[in-house]
Amino acid sequence: MLIDWFTVGAQTLNFLILVWLLKRFLYKPIRHAIDEREKRIAAELADADQKKAEAQKESDAFRHKNQALDEQRAALLSKATDKAKTEGQRLLDEARKAADVLSAKRMETLRKEANNLSQAIRRRTQQEVFAIARKVLTDLATVSLEERLGEVFTRRLREMDGPVKKELAQALKTASEPAILRSAFDQPEEQRAAIQNALNETFSADIHVRFETAPDLISGIELSTNGQKLAWSIADYLASLEKGVDALLKETDKAEIKAESEPEATAEPKPTGEAERALETESQ
Amino acid sequence: MRLSPDAIIFWQHGFFKLNATIVFTWGLMLVLAIGSKIITRRLSTDLNRSPWQNLLEILVTGIEKQIEEVGLRQPQKYIGFLGTLFLFVAAAALCTVIPGYEPPTGSLSTTTALALCVFIAVPFFGIEEQGVGSYLTSYVKPTFIMLPFNIISELSRTLALAVRLFGNMMSGAMIIGILLTIMPFIFPIIMTALGLLTGMVQAYIFSILAAVYIAAATRVRKPKPEPEAKE
């Protein structure tokens, strides 16, 4: 008999024990390990998916932000360009205005300079004329002329009246020092005596006089005492003439300036050209 | 001539005896259980794992896949029984390379015991899945006349299981024994290698047949409710 029933029973039992043993030591731990790993991988995959989704989201957000930034930048750029254009235009206008003002000022200065120059020339001419006159008169002046001058002076002394005479008399009387009488040339004794007499008679007092010679007086006699002065000379005539000529010249200048400013005012739209032309004509 | 390792008796006391079949079975049990214990003592759950763990994982997942392919939807439930059947038969065949070893599956007592286990397991899983009544009515399908034939079929396939495995395993050992007497060089090695292959095939056949029987028992009535549900 090939079948031993005890062995059959024993092997059945052995097999059942082996089933239990392998279940306990093989299938369960291995299954557990595999499940754990699968769970872990699934978790990692889910995590990766989540991260991918997040990354996608972030990338979208960044793209939107970039787009917004681009738009903003373009807007700012166009705004800045406009502003720069406006500012440039404004600066250009300002510069043009400043240039206009400067050129007007320069025109004015030039005109003034031209005026000054012409005035200086006139003044110089005038001075020269008078200097020549003085020189001529000085050269012509002689002792006889001086004598004549002394006569004229005494006559004028005698003719003097009114408050001028009073003031002079007062000054002569109160003076502590003798009055000074200056003349261009040394006066002869007779003339000195005549003048002394005339003074004494005029002011009804004995007036002390000291005679001096002053070459800068052009053919004239000058009496000065205690701050009062009585003078007569050709220089005085010349001075009054000079004054008169000065006044006349000044009037002529004013008239010229008026005449210049009037065409300027009418030709204001193109001031520079007109002014320049005016100056040119003036200088010519 | 000794046909079965049952004949090698180490110790006997009346009905109880300790023969080579039982001893080698214990040896295999020890090797399988201790080997599993050692390898599964430190299992890693991350991506880096030892080659041994890899081997066991391949084995377990492979068996599960086979069971699933046969038609059992929850392989984890049946792997304890079917997997152990395969591993035990395969290990018994593989160890034939060890000199002096007698495969326990070369004993008709062992194969009968395994076949009886399958004979019990089929109605056990069938009843667990469908309930007693439902399972028992499967014997009178398609008609009542089929009942004896079904019962005969149950018995005969159990017998076939036992005898097929025994025949193959015993013949392998037998052929090698005979060949050794005729031509003691080289040829027995080829035959041993062939024996290993035969052993693996038998292990596969045995466990797959068991799986098919269990699958047949657990899903006899399954397709029926589906059309009803559709209606």
Side-chain angles (χ1 to χ4, degrees), chain A residues 112-133:
Chain A
K112 270 183 189 163
E113 270 176 14
N115 275 346
N116 287 345
L117 193 65
S118 74
Q119 274 179 9
I121 290 165
R122 281 173 205 174
R123 212 172 293 132
R124 190 69 188 271
T125 317
Q126 183 190 337
Q127 279 169 0
E128 287 296 321
V129 166
F130 286 112
I132 291 163

Side-chain angles (χ1 to χ4, degrees), chain B residues 69-163:
Chain B
E69 277 177 9
V70 166
L72 292 165
R73 286 163 199 267
Q74 289 171 291
Q76 285 86 356
K77 190 175 164 188
Y78 305 102
I79 193 173
F81 180 70
L82 296 171
T84 309
L85 266 182
F86 173 78
L87 285 178
F88 176 66
V89 178
L94 276 177
C95 287
T96 50
V97 291
I98 300 165
Y101 168 83
E102 293 280 347
T105 44
S107 147
L108 191 58
S109 308
T110 309
T111 57
T112 307
L114 295 179
L116 279 174
C117 285
V118 174
F119 182 74
I120 303 293
V122 169
F124 175 80
F125 286 123
I127 289 165
E128 190 189 51
E129 195 71 24
Q130 321 181 27
V132 183
S134 181
Y135 176 75
L136 289 178
T137 49
S138 71
Y139 282 97
V140 292
K141 298 284 170 170
T143 59
F144 186 74
I145 305 157
M146 293 303 288
L147 176 65
F149 300 104
N150 280 331
I151 291 166
I152 292 165
S153 153
E154 285 285 320
L155 293 171
S156 66
R157 73 188 189 192
T158 307
L159 184 68
L161 269 181
V163 174

Side-chain angles (χ1 to χ4, degrees), chain A residues 139-162:
Chain A
D139 290 349
L140 287 175
T142 54
V143 177
S144 58
L145 182 67
E146 292 299 311
E147 277 172 7
R148 182 79 193 121
L149 284 172
E151 280 169 22
V152 173
F153 185 70
T154 50
R155 199 181 68 226
R156 286 189 67 164
L157 262 179
R158 286 180 208 283
E159 284 170 359
M160 193 167 61
D161 57 352

Side-chain angles (χ1 to χ4, degrees), chain A residues 84-105:
Chain A
K85 220 176 263 174
T86 319
E87 183 69 14
Q89 192 59 43
R90 193 183 64 77
L91 285 175
L92 210 64
D93 289 350
E94 260 179 25
R96 203 170 286 151
K97 265 182 210 162
D100 287 351
V101 166
L102 201 67
S103 96
K105 215 179 263 176

Side-chain angles (χ1 to χ4, degrees), chain A residues 6-22, chain B residues 6 17-30 32-33 80 84-85 88 104 109-110 113-114 117:
Chain A
F6 171 75
T7 313
V8 171
Q11 288 296 74
T12 308
L13 192 66
N14 281 340
F15 178 73
L16 292 177
I17 291 166
L18 186 63
V19 167
W20 181 80
L21 280 175
L22 289 187
Chain B
D6 286 3
K17 56 184 123 181
L18 197 65
N19 53 31
T21 309
I22 294 169
V23 170
F24 283 125
T25 303
W26 285 351
L28 283 175
M29 282 166 71
L30 269 178
L32 287 173
T84 309
L85 266 182
F88 176 66
S109 308
T110 309
L114 295 179
C117 285

